[in-house]
């Protein structure tokens, strides 16, 4: 496994990030533990979760599964760079009381303590804002974070789903306050089929020294050989992938993508992950395996070298927006 610095920090993380969103809703606890063991054995040390994972009446369940895994010992917690997120309403009845969501100082304090309890640890390596909060000023957010850092409950802070201007605003206010390192990572939707992050988000992240952590690297399965699986009678597309394939132009684009990779003898999902690892500013994509086999495929992708010819062909099928502001100015 290859490692890199997380943005401008001294923290070393694996170039694949283990996403845990499926742990609980789709993968039971025993299989989730087995996947985490296999990931750690393969050298993946960066695990990502969120307080809301588990969803609905089971929100928080994923963090609890991870906490139970840490409790098994074997230096599991010491070996892992743990990232979780705050923003969603975690109250049993979200409509009953205010102040149980978003990024107020009160909710940040409440949420981090609840996550620590579920995760069965006394600190979180990277505490991430799951969404922008349009009502809470960053002065208040950073004041709350400073307290948590001083208490030793969190070490670094990252963002998720932030536009470029909010990354800039957050870090400029952090710099003015002094003593606050600010955001060190941004977790955003980014893959071959969805490259809008290249216009503003990734340039802002690189300018301010944030490591970029792409989520949905296979775009909901669209880039994972979905048409080939249809022909073979395998798992059919659903969600984002199914919606996209309803467009004949997108279906033709995906067919060209799969035909190209078939010619090169490369699995589509592995090529999509390997492509992200070539992108400037990318720390590592989040892979969210439901099974051990899916983890093995991601590990193969981390060792895959894409030729310049293939990278050019992928750009022709999935052209990026181009640099900002030229991409939208003329």
């Amino acid at each position: 496994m290859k490692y890199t610095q997380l943005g401008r920090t001294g923290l070393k993380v694996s170039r694949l990030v283990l996403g845990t969103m499926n742990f609980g809703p789709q993968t039971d606890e025993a299989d989730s533990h087995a996947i985490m063991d296999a990931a750690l054995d393969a050298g993946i040390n960066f695990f990502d979760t969120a307080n809301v994972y588990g969803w609905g009446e089971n929100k928080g369940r994923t963090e609890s599964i991870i906490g139970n895994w840490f409790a098994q010992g074997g230096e599991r917690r010491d070996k892992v760079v743990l990232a979780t997120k705050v923003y969603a309403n975690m109250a049993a009845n979200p409509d009953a009381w205010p102040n149980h969501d978003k990024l107020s100082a009160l909710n940040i304090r409440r949420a981090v303590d609840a996550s620590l309890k579920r995760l069965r640890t006394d600190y979180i390596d990277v505490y991430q804002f799951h969404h922008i909060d349009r009502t809470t000023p960053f002065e208040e957010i950073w004041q709350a974070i400073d307290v948590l850092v001083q208490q030793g409950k969190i070490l670094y802070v990252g963002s998720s789903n932030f536009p470029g201007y909010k990354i800039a605003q957050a870090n400029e206010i952090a710099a003015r306050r002094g003593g606050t390192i600010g955001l060190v990572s941004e977790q955003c939707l980014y893959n071959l089929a969805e490259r809008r992050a290249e216009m503003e988000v990734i340039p802002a992240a690189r300018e301010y020294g944030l490591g970029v952590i792409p989520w949905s690297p296979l775009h909901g399965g669209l880039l994972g050989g979905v048409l080939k699986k249809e022909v073979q009678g395998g798992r059919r597309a659903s969600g984002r992938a199914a919606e996209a394939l309803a467009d004949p132009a997108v279906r033709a684009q995906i067919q060209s993508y799969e035909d190209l990779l078939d010619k090169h003898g490369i699995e589509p999902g592995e090529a999509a992950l390997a492509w992200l690892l070539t992108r400037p500013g990318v720390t590592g994509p989040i892979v969210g395996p439901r099974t051990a086999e899916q983890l093995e495929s991601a590990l193969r992708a981390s060792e895959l070298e894409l030729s310049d010819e293939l990278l050019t062909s992928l750009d022709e099928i999935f052209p990026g927006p181009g640099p900002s502001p030229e991409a939208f100015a003329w």
Side-chain angles (χ1 to χ4, degrees), residues 41-309:
D41 286 345
I44 296 177
N45 76 332
F46 199 4
F47 288 18
D48 176 75
T49 191
N51 60 356
V52 75
Y53 290 172
W55 309 108
E57 63 183 15
N58 294 312
K59 54 193 173 186
R61 175 62 178 148
T62 303
E63 285 189 332
S64 294
I65 289 173
I66 297 170
N68 293 340
W69 181 74
F70 284 148
Q72 294 177 21
E75 298 183 328
R76 283 174 171 82
R77 179 64 189 96
D78 289 340
K79 294 174 181 176
V80 167
V81 174
L82 175 64
T84 192
K85 307 184 195 76
V86 57
Y87 182 84
N89 195 311
M90 296 296 290
N93 182 356
D95 297 324
W97 296 98
N99 298 317
H100 279 71
D101 64 357
K102 301 184 180 177
L103 303 179
S104 69
L106 175 59
N107 189 57
I108 288 174
R109 177 180 177 176
R110 175 187 291 119
V112 76
D113 285 342
S115 284
L116 289 170
K117 184 176 180 179
R118 286 188 294 265
L119 290 163
R120 301 176 72 169
T121 185
D122 56 3
Y123 71 101
I124 294 162
D125 296 285
V126 186
Y127 201 49
Q128 301 163 112
F129 307 136
H130 211 162
H131 197 276
I132 62 170
D133 184 344
R134 293 181 171 89
T135 59
T136 305
F138 274 111
E139 288 84 357
E140 176 181 344
I141 293 170
W142 287 128
Q143 183 180 51
I145 292 300
D146 287 347
V147 171
L148 294 176
V149 171
Q150 291 163 7
Q151 292 174 338
K153 293 180 179 180
I154 64 173
L155 302 181
Y156 303 94
V157 180
S159 56
S160 182
N161 306 308
F162 271 35
Y165 83 95
K166 279 293 182 181
I167 291 173
Q169 183 185 48
N171 274 14
E172 288 297 333
I173 291 174
R176 288 202 298 270
R177 283 176 49 81
T180 299
I181 192 173
L183 301 174
V184 303
S185 62
E186 160 60 19
Q187 191 176 129
C188 60
L189 176 61
Y190 183 40
N191 54 57
L192 268 168
E194 176 49 84
R195 296 179 61 172
R196 285 177 293 177
E198 294 176 358
M199 291 183 67
E200 293 286 353
V201 175
I202 293 175
R206 296 184 70 192
E207 181 72 21
Y208 284 94
L210 279 66
V212 175
I213 308 169
W215 61 266
S216 195
L218 303 187
H219 208 55
L222 188 68
L223 300 171
V226 63
L227 298 181
K228 182 178 179 180
K229 291 173 184 175
E230 279 186 2
V231 172
Q232 295 175 342
R235 189 169 183 257
R236 296 184 64 83
S238 60
R240 182 185 294 120
E243 292 174 8
L245 289 174
D247 183 338
V250 173
R251 179 173 282 268
Q253 185 183 41
I254 297 302
Q255 188 65 66
S256 297
Y257 167 69
E258 293 189 15
D259 289 345
L260 170 68
L261 295 172
D262 186 58
K263 184 177 71 173
H264 285 266
I266 299 174
E267 290 296 322
E270 294 173 17
L273 287 172
W275 177 84
L276 280 170
L277 291 170
T278 69
R279 298 297 91 190
V282 168
T283 297
I286 297 174
V287 296
R290 288 177 287 105
T291 65
E293 290 74 22
Q294 290 178 343
L295 175 62
E296 291 170 3
S297 175
L299 291 170
R300 289 193 296 271
S302 70
E303 302 298 327
L304 186 60
E305 296 287 340
L306 303 182
S307 68
D308 291 340
E309 175 192 0

